[in-house]
């Protein structure tokens, strides 16, 4: 095989490059398409195959449709509380206050929201949403297009990108970031999956909109493509990741298959039962019950199972009861769930409950950014912007979700911060901002890993190593965590690292070689897994989704902070949480109950 | 044992495509065809196919399964298997890039052609545009399309005129915007479809309906478009020469 270097690959030059064609990437590109800047969206799949398509229940936002008195400040309060107080309050404020504009804009673009009788957008109750700062009971704030909101949103964004003439490099895979000598990001090395052609995609601004990495676990709601490619590239380039111990386990993944069953099921009146038929959430969260925070519900389910009240032959799952809602409600409001349950659980929720189990769902951590999407690193404890690098959506940690994301906040995050990054890049580039060129050495260095894989003559099987990695994460870094187990997990990851740097690519062909893509994806999964493992081990408290048997309490004295994982020395440092919103008073940390 | 015959073609090494036979122990539990393919790919990493969500909503893994188009990820092997055998071919009628991967450029070009985005002449209000639940219900069965191309690539008219006949998938989306009470370009949209090929090459063969993995009905949508063209006295069927 040919060895690639800066002389034998072509350079394609852009003002801005967006890696990833999901919700956040396409919202960024939409903003840039209108700007006249030369932009490309680089997506390893055709954009509508991105994982945003699987979002179901809705987009949470105080648009005042279900309740005209609803207030974005209440949504902000709920989000801060949901984050277990390590969400940045300036970012949460920005998301919740800008949200209504972003949702109305989606509607104007054509998103087919479900409707109330008065013609306004339908909103349903979701977990952790309250009125009047937790004092006014459950709020219905999640705007929905039946239970296919992600599909509707992603297609609407793609359609409007067509309208604005956005430029797509579909089925191109980004391999590594290219950095110049001053550690500015000047683009990526990427190849066309269809032809195998390798290129240096050069840009003044590189936006990582590469989504999550749920595939580090063996059981996940995530698509097969969710391999944390952007975060993997950033970690290999030496840039930090924030709050990587915070992984959301969604209470209701279909038992056995892992497919998501929306929280909207419980929002519409469904509830969880154990083997005794008991609605057990009444014991764990007397007020919010089944609509408590996802971390709370997931832990309660696991405790029920551990205490022997699980369902089925192996007593290893619980049931989501929906039949009391009736066929009409289920078919009108949850048609996608009915379809998924029949396909993957072999049951019809109109008649029978769905077997469910907490399943890895969402990465709260990611590349740290400010509200403009600018990625940063730290030197001597001070935030330092990384010139040329941006991150949005699940790949980023801005941080609006803190230690636990509320349902419906991910879609809002995508559109609000996708737009914000687009606006900022436009302004920055038009006022002369940008990066210096990389030289041929820099480009050659970024090509190194691809060349090494292409020349591998032996080594480890990708599928086997992937299974090993996923088993380690599933066994030692799940819903409940313990120091000694996690230490074992970190040690096992150490041996897996050697295999990762020695993967065997048997098929060296160029055209649509998916085994090459899978090998490169595994390298990214590994980086994310290692960051997760080390951050989990070193945060010695329980907060949000991070629940430790050996440190059961939240420890505000030591850990009311972000964790920042440094991939170079594999150390974890602390970074302050923003408690300074601009328009409202700070929400002070309180004991978090539902 | 199950015999899985897979269409193989690698443009770098194969002059012609061929069927390759794989034999695999039948899994104890009924798994989806995509999972079976993933197992086969562990044995032969050179097999190429697209996949993403693995739950029937992203539309990546449309393929021809024992002669019928469908999504591998939501097709249980128990329903796919015929006489202990499963034949897997790429979606028909589109150029093959490699193995089960087809070049969907023409399919997407037809989608682009129908202007698949909401158009409204008036300035948007400060909040959302209102739409009654009844008007919104008109979009059900239309907006759910996942662009998997199972319908269009099962349609003989699309095989014959992929550049001029819009095809069932894009026509379903054309009707999705025609039917949307918020869209004000209905007449323009109909005009753009009134030539002899765009819509009128649909001869009601109904393969699209039987192929759709989401149980949508492009044929019905096409019928609605034809009726609207007629009632608008915009039909130019006469010049088509009924074929």
């Amino acid at each position: 095989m040919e060895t690639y270097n800066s002389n034998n690959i072509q350079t394609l030059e852009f003002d801005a490059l967006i890696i990833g064609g999901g919700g956040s990437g396409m919202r960024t590109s939409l903003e840039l398409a209108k700007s006249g800047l030369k932009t490309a969206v680089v997506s390893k799949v055709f954009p509508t195959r991105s994982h945003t398509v699987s979002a179901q229940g809705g987009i949470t936002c105080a648009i005042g449709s279900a309740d005209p008195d609803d207030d974005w400040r209440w949504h902000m309060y709920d989000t801060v509380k949901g984050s277990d107080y390590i969400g940045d309050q300036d970012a949460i404020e920005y998301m919740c206050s800008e949200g209504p504009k972003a949702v109305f804009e989606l509607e104007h673009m054509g998103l087919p929201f479900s409707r109330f009788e008065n013609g306004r957008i339908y909103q349903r109750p979701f977990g952790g949403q309250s009125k009047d700062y937790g004092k006014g009971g459950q709020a219905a704030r999640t705007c929905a297009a039946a239970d296919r909101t992600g599909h509707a949103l992603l297609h609407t964004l793609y359609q409007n990108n067509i309208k604005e003439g956005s430029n797509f490099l579909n089925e191109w895979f980004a391999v590594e970031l290219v950095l110049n000598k001053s550690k500015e990001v000047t683009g990526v090395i990427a190849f066309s999956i269809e032809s195998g052609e390798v290129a240096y995609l050069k840009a003044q601004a590189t936006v990582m909109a590469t989504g999550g990495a749920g595939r580090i676990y063996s059981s996940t709601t995530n698509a097969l493509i969710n391999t944390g490619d952007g975060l993997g590239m950033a970690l290999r380039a030496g840039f930090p990741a924030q709050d990587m111990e915070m992984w959301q386990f969604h209470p209701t993944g279909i038992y056995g298959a892992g497919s998501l069953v929306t929280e909207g099921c419980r929002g519409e009146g469904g509830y969880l039962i154990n083997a005794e038929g008991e609605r057990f959430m009444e014991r764990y969260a007397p007020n919010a019950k089944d609509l408590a925070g996802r971390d709370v519900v997931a832990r309660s389910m696991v405790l029920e199972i551990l205490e022997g009240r699980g369902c089925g032959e192996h007593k290893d799952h619980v049931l989501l009861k929906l039949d009391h809602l009736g066929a009409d409600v289920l078919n009108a409001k949850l048609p996608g769930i009915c379809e998924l349950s029949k396909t993957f659980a072999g049951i019809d929720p109109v008649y029978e409950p769905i077997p469910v189990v907490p399943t890895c769902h969402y990465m709260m951590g990611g590349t740290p950014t400010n509200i403009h999407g600018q990625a940063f690193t730290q030197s001597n404890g001070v935030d330092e912007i990384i010139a040329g690098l941006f991150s949005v959506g699940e790949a980023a940690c801005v941080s609006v979700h803190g230690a636990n994301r509320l349902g419906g906040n991910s879609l809002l995050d995508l559109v609000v911060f996708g737009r914000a990054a687009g606006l900022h890049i436009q302004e920055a580039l038009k006022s002369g901002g940008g990066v210096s060129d990389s030289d041929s050495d820099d480009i050659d260095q970024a090509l190194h890993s691809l060349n090494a894989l292409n020349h591998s003559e032996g080594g480890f099987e990708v599928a086997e190593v992937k299974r090993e990695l996923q088993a380690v994460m599933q066994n030692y870094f799940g819903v409940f965590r313990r120091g000694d187990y996690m230490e074992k997990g970190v040690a096992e990851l150490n041996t897996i690292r050697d295999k990762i740097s020695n993967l065997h690519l048997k098929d060296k062909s160029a055209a649509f070689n998916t085994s090459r893509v899978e090998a490169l994806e595994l390298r990214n999964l590994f980086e994310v897994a290692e960051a997760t493992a080390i951050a989990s081990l070193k945060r010695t408290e329980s907060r949000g989704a991070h629940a430790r048997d050996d440190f059961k309490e939240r420890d505000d004295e030591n850990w009311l902070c972000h964790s920042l994982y440094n991939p170079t020395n594999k150390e974890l440092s602390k970074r302050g949480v923003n408690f300074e919103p601009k328009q409202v008073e700070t929400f002070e940390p309180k004991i978090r109950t539902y | 044992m199950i015999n899985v015959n897979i269409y193989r073609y690698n443009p770098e090494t194969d002059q012609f495509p061929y069927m390759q036979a794989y034999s695999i122990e039948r899994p104890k539990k009924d798994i989806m065809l995509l999972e079976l393919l993933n197992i086969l790919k562990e044995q032969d990493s050179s097999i190429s196919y697209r996949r993403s969500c693995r739950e029937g909503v992203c539309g990546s893994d449309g393929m021809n399964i024992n002669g019928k188009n469908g999504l591998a990820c939501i097709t249980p092997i128990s329903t796919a298997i015929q006489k202990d055998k499963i034949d897997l071919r790429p979606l028909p009628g589109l150029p093959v890039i490699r193995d089960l991967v087809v070049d969907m450029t023409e399919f997407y070009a037809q989608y682009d052609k129908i202007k698949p985005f909401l158009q409204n002449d008036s300035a948007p209000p400060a909040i959302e545009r209102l739409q009654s639940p009844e008007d919104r219900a008109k979009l059900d069965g239309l907006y759910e399309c996942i662009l998997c191309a199972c319908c269009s690539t099962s349609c003989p008219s699309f095989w014959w005129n992929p550049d001029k006949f819009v095809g069932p998938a894009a026509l379903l989306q054309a009707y999705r915007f025609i039917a949307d009470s918020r869209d004000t370009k209905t007449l323009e949209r109909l005009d753009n479809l009134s030539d002899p090929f765009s819509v009128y090459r649909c001869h009601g063969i109904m393969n699209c309906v039987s192929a759709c993995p989401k149980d949508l009905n492009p044929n019905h949508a096409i019928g609605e478009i034809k009726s609207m063209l007629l009632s608008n006295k915009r039909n130019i069927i006469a010049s088509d020469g009924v074929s």
Side-chain angles (χ1 to χ4, degrees):
Chain A
M1 272 214 73
E2 188 179 11
T3 300
Y4 298 111
N5 62 54
S6 56
N7 295 319
N8 63 13
I9 63 167
Q10 62 165 330
T11 300
L12 303 173
E13 205 167 335
F14 302 94
D15 295 317
L17 204 57
I18 297 151
I19 318 294
S24 64
M26 286 208 288
R27 186 60 192 82
T28 309
S29 65
L30 194 56
E31 209 56 47
L32 290 171
K34 298 175 194 163
S35 72
L37 291 172
K38 191 178 176 200
T39 309
V41 179
V42 180
S43 179
K44 65 178 176 178
V45 293
F46 183 76
T48 63
R49 326 286 182 212
S50 306
H51 187 54
T52 306
V53 83
S54 289
Q56 297 171 350
I59 174 166
T60 302
C61 187
I63 61 163
S65 167
D67 172 8
D69 296 328
D70 199 9
D71 192 317
W72 67 262
R73 294 166 191 87
W74 301 350
H75 181 201
M76 176 177 174
Y77 166 83
D78 292 336
T79 304
V80 171
K81 177 185 172 186
S83 81
D84 220 347
Y85 300 96
I86 61 161
D88 288 321
Q89 296 198 11
D90 60 338
I92 297 174
E93 175 184 54
Y94 183 79
M95 178 176 80
C96 295
S97 60
E98 289 286 308
K101 210 163 58 189
V103 170
F104 294 141
E105 189 187 61
L106 286 170
E107 195 283 331
H108 299 153
M109 286 185 212
L111 200 154
F113 281 112
S114 302
R115 302 285 171 157
F116 283 121
E117 277 307 318
N118 65 6
R120 294 206 62 190
I121 292 172
Y122 175 73
Q123 291 183 293
R124 61 165 49 113
F126 243 55
Q129 297 296 334
S130 76
K131 297 184 187 189
D132 197 15
Y133 308 104
K135 298 186 291 259
Q138 176 72 44
R141 188 176 289 139
T142 303
C143 311
D147 56 358
R148 303 188 178 99
T149 315
H151 170 278
L153 185 147
L154 188 67
H155 281 253
T156 300
L157 283 175
Y158 181 62
Q159 290 161 351
N160 280 269
N161 271 282
I162 295 176
K163 183 182 176 186
E164 300 296 339
S166 297
N167 178 32
F168 286 93
L169 293 175
N170 290 333
E171 298 186 324
W172 275 67
F173 187 86
V175 182
E176 297 293 1
L177 294 175
V178 179
L179 273 60
N180 64 20
K181 298 285 185 291
S182 340
K183 299 288 173 207
E184 298 173 326
V185 175
T186 66
V188 294
I189 295 297
F191 64 89
S192 154
I193 299 173
E194 178 178 337
S195 69
E197 175 200 349
V198 179
Y200 167 35
L201 308 180
K202 182 181 166 187
Q204 299 301 314
T206 302
V207 185
M208 293 185 309
T210 46
R215 288 280 152 185
I216 63 171
Y217 289 92
S218 40
S219 167
T220 174
T221 64
N222 284 197
L224 295 158
I225 59 169
N226 284 26
T227 53
D229 300 329
L231 192 50
M233 289 191 286
L235 286 164
R236 275 194 302 276
F239 299 133
Q242 181 170 276
D243 295 339
M244 289 308 295
E245 62 279 31
M246 302 303 178
W247 280 85
Q248 177 161 81
F249 289 80
H250 195 289
T252 54
I254 292 181
Y255 172 69
S259 294
L260 173 67
V261 176
T262 175
E263 187 169 296
C265 291
R266 284 170 282 139
E268 298 291 350
Y271 55 86
L272 297 163
I273 53 174
N274 60 21
E276 291 158 16
E278 182 204 10
R279 184 174 181 181
F280 57 87
M281 280 313 298
E282 290 179 332
R283 273 188 281 121
Y284 296 94
N287 297 311
K289 296 174 187 163
D290 295 82
L291 289 179
R294 286 180 176 173
D295 54 336
V296 175
V297 180
R299 277 195 291 276
S300 309
M301 291 167 72
V302 173
L303 287 174
E304 287 301 297
I305 292 167
L306 289 175
E307 288 168 13
R309 293 186 293 277
C311 304
E313 195 187 337
H314 304 292
K315 295 178 176 291
D316 58 354
H317 60 274
V318 299
L319 298 171
L320 174 62
K321 185 172 147 54
L322 294 173
D323 58 310
H324 57 286
L325 301 178
D328 288 349
V329 169
L330 291 176
N331 291 330
K333 295 184 170 160
L334 302 165
I337 293 309
C338 294
E339 204 179 302
L340 277 172
S341 305
K342 287 177 202 162
T343 309
F344 289 102
I347 66 113
D348 183 346
V350 171
Y351 305 105
E352 282 177 276
I354 311 171
V356 291
V357 69
T359 306
C360 167
H361 183 57
Y362 189 86
M363 177 174 85
M364 267 81 71
T367 299
T369 71
N370 60 21
I371 60 170
H372 307 297
Q374 292 175 285
F376 56 78
T377 179
Q378 273 202 337
S379 77
N380 302 321
V382 181
D383 292 351
E384 209 169 73
I385 296 290
I386 303 164
L389 188 66
F390 296 76
S391 186
V392 287
E394 191 171 343
C397 183
V398 51
S399 144
V400 285
H401 310 304
N404 171 64
R405 175 173 71 77
L406 293 187
N409 269 354
S410 57
L411 293 184
L412 190 63
D413 171 2
L414 304 185
V415 289
V416 168
F417 292 105
R419 173 175 172 275
L423 287 171
H424 178 85
I425 291 167
Q426 232 174 104
E427 230 177 76
L429 295 190
K430 286 188 172 167
S431 58
V435 291
S436 313
D437 284 356
S438 284
D439 61 27
S440 55
D441 285 349
D442 303 326
I443 298 166
D444 289 346
Q445 194 176 337
L447 279 162
H448 178 76
S449 54
L450 182 63
N451 282 327
L453 181 70
N454 283 341
H455 290 293
S456 64
E457 298 205 341
F460 295 91
E461 295 284 333
V462 171
E464 261 171 47
V465 179
K466 194 194 292 173
R467 252 197 304 274
E468 258 178 72
L469 170 77
Q470 290 168 335
V472 168
M473 298 311 291
Q474 191 76 27
N475 293 339
Y476 305 128
F477 303 94
V479 174
F480 286 104
R481 297 159 175 190
R482 227 174 84 175
D484 50 349
Y485 286 162
M486 289 195 285
E487 272 171 21
K488 206 167 159 226
V490 170
E492 285 179 27
L493 284 177
N494 250 332
T495 59
I496 294 177
R497 176 173 278 284
D498 296 337
K499 299 181 182 175
I500 294 287
S501 46
N502 194 13
L503 291 174
H504 185 206
L505 180 69
K506 257 181 270 174
D507 178 6
K508 304 284 200 291
S509 61
F512 229 100
N513 183 342
T514 52
S515 63
R516 177 178 288 118
V517 173
E518 286 176 16
L520 295 166
E521 287 174 335
L522 177 57
R523 297 169 66 236
N524 296 325
L525 282 175
F526 179 81
E527 298 296 339
V528 176
E530 187 176 53
T532 299
I534 291 174
S536 304
L537 177 63
K538 296 198 171 170
R539 185 185 277 269
T540 48
E541 66 154 354
S542 289
R543 179 185 301 272
H546 181 58
R548 290 186 62 147
D549 287 339
D550 47 354
F551 295 91
K552 285 189 196 294
E553 301 300 321
R554 191 173 91 186
D555 176 4
D556 282 354
E557 206 175 305
N558 293 303
W559 287 105
L560 185 62
C561 61
H562 296 294
S563 73
L564 206 64
Y565 168 75
N566 177 341
T568 312
N569 58 14
K570 302 192 198 299
E571 289 297 330
L572 201 70
S573 57
K574 296 176 181 180
R575 182 175 166 261
V577 171
N578 180 295
F579 285 103
E580 289 167 359
K582 294 188 180 70
Q583 309 173 52
V584 295
E585 295 277 302
T586 301
F587 293 105
E588 299 293 342
K590 290 192 290 194
I591 305 273
R592 183 167 161 258
T593 54
Y594 286 100
Chain B
M1 296 301 278
I2 308 177
N3 296 308
V4 188
N5 299 312
I6 301 180
Y7 178 103
R8 302 300 310 269
Y9 174 68
N10 182 338
E12 294 155 67
T13 49
D14 303 324
Q15 200 179 354
F16 301 104
Y18 60 96
M19 295 299 286
Q20 185 166 355
Y22 295 87
S23 189
I24 181 170
E25 186 128 4
R26 186 163 185 163
K28 286 192 189 77
K29 132 178 179 251
D30 194 16
I31 60 173
M32 297 296 170
L33 201 47
L34 177 63
E35 295 171 86
L36 188 76
L37 267 172
N38 291 342
I39 296 170
L40 286 173
K41 190 169 170 64
E42 284 192 28
Q43 295 166 16
D44 179 353
S45 67
S46 72
I47 306 171
S48 195
Y49 50 93
R50 293 186 175 103
R51 84 288 181 281
S52 172
C53 76
R54 60 84 175 89
E55 57 188 18
V57 294
C58 81
S60 294
D61 62 350
M63 56 186 71
N64 188 273
I65 305 160
N66 276 341
K68 192 183 165 190
N69 291 351
L71 298 179
C73 62
I74 53 170
T75 304
I77 52 175
S78 60
T79 65
I81 200 159
Q82 285 172 8
K83 294 177 187 159
D84 291 329
K85 188 172 78 92
I86 302 172
D87 288 345
L88 298 178
R89 291 186 172 82
L91 290 173
L94 294 176
V96 175
I97 296 173
R98 173 172 174 172
D99 301 341
L100 301 173
V101 178
V102 291
D103 180 349
M104 294 175 73
T105 308
E106 279 180 321
F107 174 80
Y108 295 136
Q110 293 298 352
Y111 180 67
D112 289 2
K113 207 157 83 183
I114 61 102
K115 298 193 176 159
F117 40 82
L118 192 86
Q119 298 178 81
N120 187 307
D121 292 330
S122 61
I127 59 166
E128 72 269 43
R129 289 197 166 93
L130 300 183
Q131 185 173 46
S132 69
E134 294 73 31
D135 279 339
R136 168 57 184 76
K138 292 175 187 160
L139 308 183
D140 285 335
L142 306 173
Y143 82 95
E144 300 93 325
C145 173
I146 58 173
L147 298 177
C148 66
C150 285
C151 61
S152 291
T153 61
S154 69
C155 173
S157 294
F158 189 74
W159 296 339
W160 201 246
N161 290 298
D163 54 336
K164 293 197 285 254
F165 172 50
V166 170
L171 286 170
L172 187 77
Q173 291 317 296
Y175 185 61
R176 176 248 174 277
F177 287 100
I178 289 170
D180 196 322
S181 61
R182 301 169 296 171
D183 191 281
T184 55
K185 296 283 188 192
T186 304
L187 287 182
E188 285 87 337
R189 290 182 186 279
L190 288 171
D191 246 354
N192 286 338
L193 295 170
S194 61
D195 64 281
F197 281 91
S198 295
V199 177
Y200 291 113
R201 286 286 145 166
C202 168
H203 302 304
I205 298 166
M206 306 273 274
N207 276 2
C208 55
V209 183
S210 100
C212 178
K214 305 303 285 181
D215 290 329
L216 307 178
N217 190 334
N219 191 68
H220 176 76
I222 294 169
E224 293 290 324
I225 295 173
K226 285 180 177 170
S227 307
M228 289 179 92
L229 283 168
L230 285 166
S231 64
N232 275 311
K233 300 191 166 61
R234 287 169 177 278
N235 79 80
I236 44 167
I237 294 174
S239 65
D240 180 11
V242 179
S243 51

